[in-house]
Amino acid sequence: MEHITKFLEWVKESDNIVFFGGAGVSTESGIPDFRSVDGLYNQQYDYPPETILSHSFYRSRPEEFYRFYRNKMLCLDAEPNITHIRLAELEKAGKLKGIVTQNIDGLHQKAGSRNVMELHGSVLRNYCEHCMEFMSAEDILHSTGVPVCPKCGGPVKPDVVLYEEGLNQKTLQDAVYVISHADVLIVGGTSLAVYPAAGLIDYYNGNKLVLINKSATPMDKRADLLIQDGLGNVFSQI
């Protein structure tokens, strides 16, 4: 309980907070986590998710890629949970300066957050590889096989960073900037196992690193405040 008290104190005192989050932010909205016991790794497919969601697999087996993508990655009915909502409120109050997320579900924006850096892109954006025509996630969901551009017939690719692909440099630079200038950095719902995203914590220069995660992470010893609890439990108290 004293951990929560200190966390609330830091949030109350600061007007330069940055939140860095992973899959655990959205699991309470019903979006499956990759690495949890009932997560995507334990679903029955011919290939592991990391293989299916790779650039080379997308190129060589696009139909199988899209079968998995429609079934497992497009959770378009999901709604923001208490963590998304509280973060949006903190931003509106002028306290939170940015959200750096590894998630691709767009729920931070749906909750009202504006300054969101999506390290791994978003399922809500899809573009024709030939003419760059936009296609909505709903259109992808209701298409069959490999979706094609309604304008030119070219193949459509989700604006998500697949395995073997590099992160968007502008997004990365923006994330480094807000993290390096933060007073309080709250890291939540991430195993801190995926690089280069996990390495962003190295850019934090302050002494109020809050780490909120149900299970242990490789960065636990670096935290100034470690809270091993669900994000919803913690953020519902703000």
Side-chain angles (χ1 to χ4, degrees):
M1 194 62 201
E2 65 188 65
H3 286 12
I4 298 287
T5 305
K6 183 177 264 196
F7 171 66
L8 296 176
E9 246 172 60
W10 286 0
V11 168
K12 191 178 178 183
E13 290 166 2
S14 177
D15 60 359
N16 187 3
I17 303 167
V18 170
F19 180 82
F20 174 65
V25 178
S26 291
T27 48
E28 289 177 31
S29 291
I31 294 179
D33 176 10
F34 264 71
R35 290 171 178 78
S36 63
V37 178
D38 55 350
L40 293 180
Y41 275 2
N42 298 295
Q43 306 287 348
Q44 295 305 306
Y45 274 84
D46 293 341
Y47 305 89
E50 266 183 347
T51 301
I52 298 174
L53 295 173
S54 68
H55 179 83
S56 50
F57 193 93
Y58 167 76
R59 289 288 175 223
S60 62
R61 298 171 181 265
E63 289 211 6
E64 181 67 4
F65 169 88
Y66 268 110
R67 186 171 79 88
F68 178 88
Y69 185 78
R70 285 189 191 93
N71 288 345
K72 299 297 177 188
M73 308 305 287
L74 293 179
C75 306
L76 303 184
D77 293 334
E79 291 296 330
N81 60 53
I82 192 68
T83 303
H84 297 109
I85 292 162
R86 288 287 182 266
L87 287 168
E89 289 170 355
L90 286 172
E91 184 187 40
K92 199 173 179 185
K95 299 177 77 61
L96 186 85
K97 300 306 182 198
I99 291 170
V100 180
T101 181
Q102 294 169 278
N103 296 338
I104 57 175
D105 50 49
L107 288 180
H108 284 296
Q109 290 93 328
K110 201 171 184 179
S113 292
R114 293 176 178 276
N115 192 23
V116 183
M117 285 137 271
E118 297 173 308
L119 294 174
H120 298 150
S122 172
V123 297
L124 303 181
R125 297 187 298 269
N126 307 274
Y127 297 99
C128 171
E129 294 199 72
H130 291 169
C131 74
M132 292 305 291
E133 178 78 3
F134 173 84
M135 198 167 174
S136 74
E138 285 81 7
D139 288 340
I140 299 288
L141 185 62
H142 298 124
S143 64
T144 54
V146 180
V148 294
C149 174
K151 202 171 175 182
C152 77
V156 174
K157 184 177 185 291
D159 187 16
V160 298
V161 179
L162 301 176
Y163 289 98
E164 305 164 351
E165 294 180 345
L167 301 188
N168 178 283
Q169 286 306 300
K170 169 80 166 67
T171 307
L172 207 50
Q173 285 165 7
D174 289 347
V176 167
Y177 181 86
V178 294
I179 288 172
S180 63
H181 287 79
D183 171 30
V184 177
L185 176 63
I186 304 168
V187 179
T190 171
S191 61
L192 293 171
V194 178
Y195 282 82
L200 287 171
I201 289 179
D202 294 339
Y203 292 96
Y204 177 60
N205 301 308
N207 60 357
K208 293 187 178 77
L209 172 57
V210 184
L211 193 46
I212 308 169
N213 205 50
K214 282 182 179 175
S215 51
T217 81
M219 305 279 190
D220 285 2
K221 286 181 180 169
R222 289 176 55 179
D224 299 299
L225 184 59
L226 181 65
I227 304 174
Q228 288 190 310
D229 197 354
L231 281 164
N233 288 343
V234 177
F235 274 87
S236 62
Q237 297 182 61
I238 291 179

